[in-house]
Amino acid sequence: METKRIGKQTVKLTLQPSVAAAACVGGKKESEGPLRKYFDYLSNDSRFGAKSWEKAESAMLKMCYSLACDKAKTPPSDIEYVFSGDLLNQCAGSAYAMRDCGAPYFGLYGACSTMAEGLSLAAMLIDGGFCSTAAAATSSHFCSAERQYRFPLQYGNQRPPTAQRTVTGAGALILKENGDGPYITHVTTGVITDAGVADMNNMGAAMAPAAYTTLTAHFADTGRTPDYYDAIVTGDLGVVGSDILRELFAIDGVELGVRYMDCGRLIYYIDSQDAHAGGSGCGCSASVLCGHFLHGMAEGQWKRLLFCATGAMMSPTTNQQGESIPSICHAVALENSRC
Amino acid sequence: METKRIGKQTVKLTLQPSVAAAACVGGKKESEGPLRKYFDYLSNDSRFGAKSWEKAESAMLKMCYSLACDKAKTPPSDIEYVFSGDLLNQCAGSAYAMRDCGAPYFGLYGACSTMAEGLSLAAMLIDGGFCSTAAAATSSHFCSAERQYRFPLQYGNQRPPTAQRTVTGAGALILKENGDGPYITHVTTGVITDAGVADMNNMGAAMAPAAYTTLTAHFADTGRTPDYYDAIVTGDLGVVGSDILRELFAIDGVELGVRYMDCGRLIYYIDSQDAHAGGSGCGCSASVLCGHFLHGMAEGQWKRLLFCATGAMMSPTTNQQGESIPSICHAVALENSRC
């Protein structure tokens, strides 16, 4: 059998599936941010009509997934595989959101890298001939994440400037075998990278080395250089982590320049929205990709985009036990023409 | 492109990757059970030399994965994809176990179905030409699971007879493009099924409908009947759930008979080990497949085995919020000849 493997971490897809549609949903804070116009739905009610934050997150993701199916003109029953996961313990946000969807379901845990992980696997299963339609979906919610990872909101605890704010948002994306693009051309899968950072309030620093590792592998495996892409987009390194990533590349003599952007930095007005080091959470990169970036690709603003979502794979328990934060970054190339 | 899809939930693989090696590791209770001789390593120290239950679980999984690589005569650096997940919050057991493995890593959350989910995806990525070697690994630990899902062990709380005991165990399996089998021939991916059971102490009842749904889909999609298989093996329905599954099939006029077995029922002497309704946890079906069943297949005891690991996708939080338990079951056919 022909191998699609072109390097230690990268595959070049043969068929190169097409994005059929994408949707994103956000909360109140996101509705006040610079990317508000790219969301399909923004709720002023952070509870999304539900009685708990966890149920709110599921309701938001379920709505987002329905919107994506609608936009792809594909009934949920025609989706052949769904890949989904989130930050909640036991990925419960996704399991409850998808319990009525009726599609074969693969649960993922990739922390904030989940959209890139789901997109990678969905694209590969289509490309490998296992299905012609697959979906990737994920979410995060500020209130469910705060009480799970840090403190209940009622404590009103202070966060340091390096801390990021979990985005209340969801993204869902439907891939099909054929379509008008953008096309998924390459998938670079991350290895777990642990640089020894143990500060839960500085995840950007913990994740930047993973982004560096994956991007470096992507360029080595494909023979491409950063300037091949119009946009290189990390998930949620935020202000601190994205500066570190630029610096790591600068040491190699590579200037990422203006083509490099970070979803966590883009989603809020960092200063006026008191967003500390920027956004984070599975819903950050998912909603910014599904809204802002895919919109820009459709308009021709970017033709070749490398989406590199990053995830911090610790849990509050391992952190309390003194462990550092293992991180990961998966990269997916989206291009307006097949290659 | 040729489609491998042969029904709503099932794909028939073309290449049909081979199991290159598998390993399993267990704890003290497992060392006293009827399947003890099939484990590669059994530890009398439930802490596996580590300082916390969570670190013990990671240490156990890491050891198991190393053993599997050794048995497959494959250095960990040659593994092209690792699929792993567990029951701990944020799947931390797997992330820490795999942080030095150096392989492209896909984190999964499938609760106790994780081994079947990992095996499905690893087989499909080989079959689709994305790699020639991939691994699936998972673990559970009685002590980390008890304090996370129920109570700290020190409380000494009583469990009802329908409760299952989380297996302290890990399983890891290496698949390769070519080999002497068993071969992965079919993958049937589960849809989330929620029959409304909300009792965390009766997960067998919650998961049995998911097993029924997936098995029914597998038989419909493949045109096979249960008697095609020498062994139909569910993950951890335990005593209660496996009786329910038999009954659900009996209503359809199908007697599963002696070919039907459940890993949770097999791993302990139910009565003399005070195992209540039997074993559960990702490590249950993983270790019983990687030890007992693959050993039996190698010896010719079973030629065609359908491995159907089940998972309960709730979290303690959703349960406390009154939610029922969404469940899933993924089925993978292992056969001694390609078909």
Side-chain angles (χ1 to χ4, degrees):
Chain A
M1 165 154 309
E2 170 207 20
T3 179
K4 300 170 182 188
R5 196 89 176 186
I6 59 164
K8 183 164 164 44
Q9 294 178 236
T10 306
V11 290
K12 180 179 177 184
L13 304 190
T14 314
L15 179 69
Q16 305 187 346
S18 175
V19 174
C24 56
V25 169
K28 187 164 182 301
K29 186 108 174 170
E30 293 66 33
S31 75
E32 295 158 355
L35 306 185
R36 56 186 172 274
K37 68 178 168 190
Y38 304 113
F39 280 85
D40 294 287
Y41 183 83
L42 287 158
S43 176
N44 272 321
D45 168 24
S46 296
R47 291 194 184 267
F48 285 81
K51 284 189 179 170
S52 72
W53 300 128
E54 290 76 17
K55 291 186 184 191
E57 185 171 340
S58 279
M60 173 178 67
L61 178 58
K62 190 172 178 172
M63 174 199 280
C64 183
Y65 180 68
S66 292
L67 282 169
C69 291
D70 278 357
K71 289 170 80 174
K73 297 186 177 54
T74 304
S77 56
D78 285 2
I79 306 288
E80 292 169 287
Y81 291 112
V82 173
F83 290 91
S84 189
D86 55 87
L87 293 173
L88 295 183
N89 293 345
Q90 285 68 55
C91 296
S94 296
Y96 285 90
M98 296 298 171
R99 81 174 141 178
D100 304 315
C101 79
Y105 177 87
F106 286 114
L108 303 181
Y109 185 75
C112 310
S113 75
T114 303
M115 179 46 86
E117 185 183 0
L119 199 49
S120 299
L121 288 166
M124 288 199 272
L125 291 201
I126 294 175
D127 204 72
F130 302 102
C131 62
S132 54
T133 307
T138 188
S139 62
S140 56
H141 194 297
F142 175 70
C143 306
S144 61
E146 277 299 305
R147 76 167 166 195
Q148 182 179 280
Y149 283 92
R150 298 186 182 97
F151 297 100
L153 294 181
Q154 291 82 346
Y155 284 17
N157 81 303
Q158 294 269 340
R159 293 180 300 147
T162 56
Q164 290 171 247
R165 182 189 167 94
T166 306
V167 166
T168 298
L173 203 147
I174 316 281
L175 292 183
K176 295 201 176 195
E177 199 173 351
N178 298 307
D180 300 329
Y183 305 101
I184 311 294
T185 63
H186 293 78
V187 168
T188 300
T189 304
V191 298
I192 299 177
T193 304
D194 189 334
V197 176
D199 182 359
M200 290 253 284
N201 280 309
N202 193 355
M203 309 249 254
M207 296 189 294
Y212 172 76
T213 306
T214 296
L215 279 165
T216 304
H218 179 82
F219 297 131
D221 290 349
T222 57
R224 293 177 173 178
T225 52
D227 57 9
Y228 177 85
Y229 293 100
D230 308 315
I232 296 173
V233 180
T234 50
D236 51 358
L237 296 181
V239 175
V240 177
S242 57
D243 283 349
I244 295 174
L245 182 65
R246 278 187 196 280
E247 218 169 297
L248 289 170
F249 272 102
I251 293 169
D252 293 344
V254 176
E255 292 302 330
L256 292 177
V258 292
R259 71 170 56 76
Y260 170 53
M261 292 164 273
D262 179 75
C263 299
R265 211 160 177 154
L266 292 171
I267 195 167
Y268 299 125
Y269 296 109
I270 300 291
D271 295 328
S272 65
Q273 284 193 285
D274 192 25
H276 294 72
S280 69
C282 307
C284 178
S285 61
S287 64
V288 176
L289 173 69
C290 291
H292 177 60
F293 281 110
L294 286 176
H295 189 265
M297 287 193 84
E299 302 244 301
Q301 187 177 356
W302 303 291
K303 290 189 172 59
R304 297 159 168 180
L305 183 146
L306 188 60
F307 176 64
C308 322
T310 42
M313 308 284 276
M314 84 297 163
S315 81
T317 307
T318 58
N319 194 258
Q320 284 157 10
Q321 292 177 1
E323 275 290 1
S324 54
I325 301 173
S327 298
I328 201 157
C329 171
H330 302 296
V332 178
L334 294 101
E335 307 189 46
N336 272 351
S337 322
R338 289 188 167 115
C339 63
Chain B
M1 162 153 310
E2 170 207 20
T3 180
K4 299 169 182 190
R5 197 88 176 187
I6 58 163
K8 182 163 167 43
Q9 294 178 236
T10 306
V11 289
K12 180 179 177 184
L13 304 189
T14 313
L15 180 68
Q16 305 187 348
S18 174
V19 174
C24 57
V25 169
K28 187 165 183 297
K29 186 107 176 173
E30 293 67 33
S31 76
E32 296 159 354
L35 306 184
R36 56 186 172 273
K37 67 179 169 189
Y38 304 113
F39 280 84
D40 293 286
Y41 182 83
L42 287 157
S43 175
N44 272 322
D45 167 24
S46 297
R47 289 193 186 268
F48 286 81
K51 284 189 180 169
S52 72
W53 301 128
E54 290 76 17
K55 291 186 184 191
E57 185 171 339
S58 278
M60 172 178 68
L61 179 58
K62 190 173 179 173
M63 172 199 280
C64 183
Y65 180 68
S66 291
L67 282 168
C69 292
D70 279 357
K71 290 171 81 174
K73 296 185 178 55
T74 304
S77 56
D78 285 1
I79 306 287
E80 292 168 287
Y81 290 112
V82 173
F83 290 91
S84 188
D86 55 86
L87 293 173
L88 295 183
N89 293 345
Q90 285 69 54
C91 296
S94 296
Y96 285 90
M98 297 297 172
R99 80 174 143 178
D100 304 315
C101 80
Y105 177 86
F106 286 115
L108 302 181
Y109 185 74
C112 310
S113 75
T114 303
M115 179 46 87
E117 185 183 359
L119 199 49
S120 299
L121 288 166
M124 287 199 271
L125 291 203
I126 294 175
D127 205 74
F130 301 101
C131 62
S132 54
T133 308
T138 188
S139 62
S140 56
H141 194 298
F142 176 70
C143 306
S144 60
E146 276 299 304
R147 77 168 166 192
Q148 182 179 280
Y149 283 92
R150 298 185 181 96
F151 298 101
L153 294 180
Q154 290 83 345
Y155 285 17
N157 81 305
Q158 294 269 340
R159 294 181 299 147
T162 55
Q164 290 170 248
R165 183 188 166 93
T166 306
V167 166
T168 298
L173 204 148
I174 316 279
L175 292 184
K176 294 201 175 196
E177 199 173 349
N178 298 307
D180 301 329
Y183 305 101
I184 311 294
T185 62
H186 293 77
V187 168
T188 300
T189 304
V191 298
I192 299 177
T193 305
D194 189 335
V197 176
D199 182 359
M200 289 254 282
N201 280 309
N202 193 354
M203 310 249 253
M207 296 189 293
Y212 172 75
T213 306
T214 296
L215 279 165
T216 304
H218 178 81
F219 297 131
D221 290 349
T222 57
R224 293 176 174 179
T225 52
D227 57 9
Y228 177 86
Y229 293 100
D230 308 315
I232 296 172
V233 180
T234 50
D236 52 357
L237 296 181
V239 175
V240 176
S242 57
D243 283 348
I244 295 174
L245 182 64
R246 278 187 198 282
E247 218 171 297
L248 289 170
F249 272 102
I251 293 169
D252 293 343
V254 176
E255 292 302 330
L256 292 176
V258 292
R259 72 170 57 79
Y260 170 53
M261 290 164 276
D262 179 77
C263 299
R265 209 159 177 154
L266 292 170
I267 194 166
Y268 299 125
Y269 296 110
I270 299 290
D271 295 328
S272 65
Q273 283 193 285
D274 192 23
H276 294 70
S280 69
C282 307
C284 178
S285 60
S287 65
V288 176
L289 173 71
C290 291
H292 178 60
F293 282 110
L294 286 176
H295 189 266
M297 288 192 84
E299 302 244 299
Q301 187 178 356
W302 302 291
K303 290 189 173 61
R304 296 160 170 179
L305 183 147
L306 188 61
F307 175 65
C308 322
T310 42
M313 307 285 277
M314 83 297 163
S315 82
T317 307
T318 57
N319 194 258
Q320 284 157 12
Q321 292 177 1
E323 274 291 359
S324 54
I325 301 173
S327 299
I328 201 156
C329 171
H330 301 297
V332 178
L334 294 101
E335 307 190 46
N336 271 351
S337 323
R338 289 188 168 116
C339 64

